[in-house]
Amino acid sequence: MSPTEHDMKEITVSQDRLRLAIIIGSTREGRFAPTVARWFTGRAERHGDMDVDVLDLAEARLPATLTNEPPPEVAAITPRLAAADAYVVVTPEYNHSFPASLKSAIDWHFTEWQAKPIGFVSYGGMAGGLRAVEHLRQVFAELHAVTVRDTVSFHGAHDRFDPDGRPHRPEGCDAAAASMLGQLAWWGHTLREARSRRPYTG
């Protein structure tokens, strides 16, 4: 293979990989979110065709007041969201819904979400954060995003992980993660190709 052919092959392989943004939605002091996010990030990185970018909203520190001109904190994360082909939101359930920090990150953006797939990893008590996920589906539908059917949910999350952040019984959650990542990959590739052929105008 000539150097030029080799370079073209490398470009093709690189372009075929999906850019996945994992968004950690909780900013609460003492939060459990990093444990869940680290586990899922490992599963996503093993999927083989995804470049993963973890966006922690506790570090982003987005302002609560929405302004016409995005402040520096928002401007810092917007290119990362825009570059993503797909998203996974890691969220707890607060009062039967999702955190205000996550709603703020969503509301600061619009076109970044359009015609892209979104998956969910939720955690909580008996409901496992699923009520937060159902509310998020309605929000993202308004933003012209596509939420995939399968989710990963941890009921009684604090008891599901060992002190090193590994699930006590990984078979079920590993299978759920693989299923959701497979759906994200299909939608991610399909929608990216569609956007390249016909830019989405909503």
Side-chain angles (χ1 to χ4, degrees):
M1 181 182 294
S2 69
T4 302
E5 290 172 335
H6 176 76
D7 291 344
M8 289 302 296
K9 182 178 180 182
E10 289 297 320
I11 291 172
T12 301
V13 171
S14 175
Q15 289 178 340
D16 194 52
R17 294 176 64 82
L18 286 176
R19 297 178 295 263
L20 175 66
I22 298 176
I23 303 169
I24 304 177
S26 173
T27 60
R28 176 177 286 180
E29 184 177 355
R31 63 198 176 136
F32 194 64
T35 297
V36 179
R38 278 193 298 270
W39 166 80
F40 182 78
T41 298
R43 302 309 305 172
E45 290 173 341
R46 294 181 202 173
H47 196 261
D49 65 345
M50 295 181 177
D51 295 322
V52 179
D53 178 22
V54 179
L55 175 55
D56 189 342
L57 295 184
E59 297 175 358
R61 299 183 179 276
L62 302 180
T65 302
L66 298 176
T67 56
N68 292 329
E69 289 296 323
E73 296 88 347
V74 175
I77 70 167
T78 297
R80 295 167 66 181
L81 293 176
D85 299 305
Y87 309 93
V88 168
V89 175
V90 180
T91 183
E93 182 178 310
Y94 295 166
N95 301 319
H96 285 204
S97 193
F98 53 90
S101 52
L102 186 52
K103 188 63 162 62
S104 177
I106 293 169
D107 288 348
W108 272 113
H109 300 90
F110 181 64
T111 58
E112 290 78 9
W113 311 113
Q114 288 186 327
K116 295 180 183 179
I118 301 177
F120 301 101
V121 177
S122 66
Y123 63 95
M126 292 295 292
L130 291 175
R131 288 173 291 211
V133 170
E134 292 310 307
H135 288 179
L136 281 166
R137 290 188 189 280
Q138 299 176 58
V139 173
F140 279 118
E142 178 64 18
L143 297 170
H144 301 247
V146 178
T147 59
V148 301
R149 177 189 180 277
D150 288 4
T151 63
V152 182
S153 176
F154 291 98
H155 305 254
H158 288 79
D159 297 327
R160 301 279 178 161
F161 291 80
D162 67 21
D164 295 322
R166 295 172 298 195
H168 290 298
R169 296 181 178 178
E171 297 82 5
C173 55
D174 284 356
S179 177
M180 186 182 72
L181 286 166
Q183 292 175 17
L184 273 176
W186 190 92
W187 281 104
H189 284 292
T190 301
L191 290 174
R192 183 173 66 182
E193 180 180 351
R195 292 194 309 273
S196 68
R197 294 185 176 187
R198 181 180 298 177
Y200 187 79
T201 59

